[in-house]
Amino acid sequence: MRILLIHRTFPGQFRYLATALAQDPCNEVIFLTSAEQGEIPGVKKMLYTPHRPAHPSTHTYLQTMESAVIYGQAAYKTALQLKKDGFIPDVIYGHSGWGPTLFMADLFPRSPLVCHFEWFYRSHGSSFGFDPANPLTIDNEAEIRIKNAPILFDLTQSSLGISPTEWQRRQFPAEFQSKITVIHEGIHCGFFSPLPGTKLVLQKLGLDLSQVEEIVTYVATGMEPLRGFPQFMAAAAEIQRRKPGCHIVVVGEDRTEYSNTLTGGKTYRQDALERHSYDLSRLHFTGRLSIPDYLTVLRSSAVHVYLTYPFILSWSVLEAMACGSLIVASDTLPVREIIEDNVNGLLVDFFDPFAIADRVIEALSKPGWASALKSRARETILAKYELDQLLARQITLLQNAAAKGV
């Protein structure tokens, strides 16, 4: 089978899938991307380069669409050379929304297009408008509507789609949901697994918490409101005050990925450190970690806190559950799909730092009770998100699409 994978980053959500497909000698796998870094054995990487960003003078509502067209044009030109060289994919699987999939159905009209539909933006009922501190304006609502344009093109031209969770699938217009199958990318449960007695030592950072019994962890790509960073930091100050032996470990970069930035150039981390009192000897910011160090953090965590707006579910919470972490998570819709309160984790009001602190301290104070929640957390991942099972489903779906054709 000839497979064309398309993702703006490399390998993105396709890491495990691309690896598995390339291991089959019957497959020829080409990965179309704009990311120069990274390689996967057996995967031929083809780079496309957008000739410019969206122009600042373009209407604000249309800048996302213009960027998507520019990315789509660049991807088209690179894929055109593939076609001239004789490569006609049996199936195309592309990440929707950023633009590189836009013109693939025109270039390869006989190749079924499968899209990874991660998110459809809504002005109400999901991430936008969730936080009362950030009310939407009329301009925001109009921009959000147009932001979906590239995704809508993919919804109309794709043969079928995949969404990682049922919550994410439900964000798409009802008339398109029937063509979207829910299959998560999968969690490598053999790698992300419990290792009792793991001590948190990060040599590159000079961080040695091997003598600490109570470690509370938080992981996010960026420190921002969408992932509840301000609420977590307020809760962390209260946890430190009430648990003098507890250490807080924050993994992630001091930046925003999805949220608005603060005025004056201040980061949310800087703002939190100014607002609250901490014992800085027990508050540790690791920055971005290597995968082995990240695994060590999860395995050594006594309580892992995961907070999110109603948005895309993070891999980190699933990986933490696979490691047998006790999860204290926001009682928000994407989280409810995987965590049941007092069954495989603890749910709490996203906006209440004191309630977050109470649940963390409750978990730290009842290790026997916490142990049962941890076991059921891992059981949940093994039953619903185990990598090999979900990879087999993804590959079967692509094979069926290739066999059926357009």
Side-chain angles (χ1 to χ4, degrees), residues 23 47 78 81 86 125 148 183 216 230 284 293 300 305 317-318 333 335 347 349 357 370 405:
Q23 288 172 346
L47 290 174
T78 298
Q81 187 58 52
N148 285 316
I183 310 177
V216 174
H284 313 281
D293 283 347
S300 62
V305 178
V317 66
L318 301 176
L333 286 168
V335 176
L347 298 182
D349 184 346

Side-chain angles (χ1 to χ4, degrees), residues 54 81 85 130-131 179 187 216 219 230 251 295 315 342-343 354 360 397:
Q81 187 58 52
D85 292 341
F130 173 71
D131 190 340
K179 75 188 302 185
I187 302 300
V216 174
V219 174
V251 179
L295 177 63
W315 287 343
N342 283 306
V343 174
F354 290 102
V360 169
L397 183 144

Side-chain angles (χ1 to χ4, degrees), residues 5-20 31-40 43 45 48 93-96 98 116 118 164 184-187 192 221 257-258 288 291 312 315 319 387 391 394:
L5 298 175
I6 305 173
H7 202 303
R8 190 175 75 158
T9 63
F10 180 89
Q13 290 90 338
F14 299 163
R15 176 186 301 276
Y16 294 131
L17 177 65
T19 301
F31 201 123
L32 190 61
T33 182
S34 60
E36 296 183 6
Q37 300 299 316
E39 297 292 337
I40 293 176
V43 175
K45 189 173 168 184
Y48 65 87
Y93 184 29
H95 186 269
S96 177
W98 298 104
H116 183 92
E118 188 173 29
H184 194 270
E185 297 86 12
I187 302 300
F192 290 103
T221 52
E257 185 171 18
Y258 302 107
R288 191 171 183 174
I291 294 297
I312 296 166
W315 287 343
E319 291 163 348
L387 177 63
L391 268 181
Q394 292 174 60

Side-chain angles (χ1 to χ4, degrees), residues 111-321:
S111 303
L113 172 64
V114 179
C115 282
H116 183 92
F117 291 117
E118 188 173 29
W119 192 246
F120 192 87
Y121 297 92
R122 292 180 176 271
S123 299
H124 305 282
S126 59
S127 58
F128 290 109
F130 173 71
D131 190 340
N134 296 300
L136 290 180
T137 66
I138 294 174
D139 266 348
N140 294 148
E141 292 181 344
E143 186 177 352
I144 290 164
R145 181 171 296 280
I146 302 303
K147 194 179 184 74
N148 285 316
I151 302 168
L152 285 166
F153 279 115
D154 283 343
L155 283 166
T156 59
Q157 68 182 349
S158 59
S159 300
L160 66 156
I162 297 176
S163 276
T165 68
E166 179 59 35
W167 153 253
Q168 286 164 250
R169 186 183 79 94
R170 288 203 308 269
Q171 304 314 300
F172 289 83
E175 57 265 40
F176 291 110
Q177 289 182 21
S178 61
K179 75 188 302 185
I180 301 175
T181 300
V182 175
I183 310 177
H184 194 270
E185 297 86 12
I187 302 300
H188 191 333
C189 295
F191 182 81
F192 290 103
S193 60
L195 185 61
T198 297
K199 301 298 182 182
L200 182 48
V201 179
L202 304 178
Q203 293 182 348
K204 292 179 181 178
L205 300 179
L207 180 62
D208 186 344
L209 301 184
S210 57
Q211 303 304 312
V212 177
E213 295 296 327
E214 296 179 337
I215 298 174
V216 174
T217 57
Y218 170 94
V219 174
T221 52
M223 301 178 192
E224 59 187 327
L226 185 134
R227 297 305 189 192
F229 180 75
Q231 288 80 6
F232 173 76
M233 290 301 292
E238 180 67 8
I239 293 166
Q240 282 196 333
R241 187 183 70 80
R242 293 164 59 184
K243 298 289 286 185
C246 181
H247 284 243
I248 311 290
V249 177
V250 179
V251 179
E253 296 177 309
D254 188 15
R255 64 181 179 89
T256 59
E257 185 171 18
Y258 302 107
S259 306
N260 294 330
T261 57
L262 290 170
T263 57
K266 185 189 299 183
T267 68
Y268 287 98
R269 170 178 162 175
Q270 291 168 333
D271 185 65
L273 291 174
E274 291 174 7
R275 284 177 180 270
H276 308 290
S277 296
Y278 301 101
D279 177 352
L280 296 180
S281 69
R282 294 188 290 124
L283 177 60
H284 313 281
F285 295 97
T286 69
R288 191 171 183 174
L289 293 177
S290 66
I291 294 297
D293 283 347
Y294 168 57
L295 177 63
T296 299
V297 169
L298 295 182
R299 283 175 165 174
S300 62
S301 175
V303 179
H304 181 79
V305 178
Y306 176 70
L307 307 173
T308 185
Y309 283 13
F311 190 56
I312 296 166
L313 188 72
S314 305
W315 287 343
S316 63
V317 66
L318 301 176
E319 291 163 348
M321 291 172 72

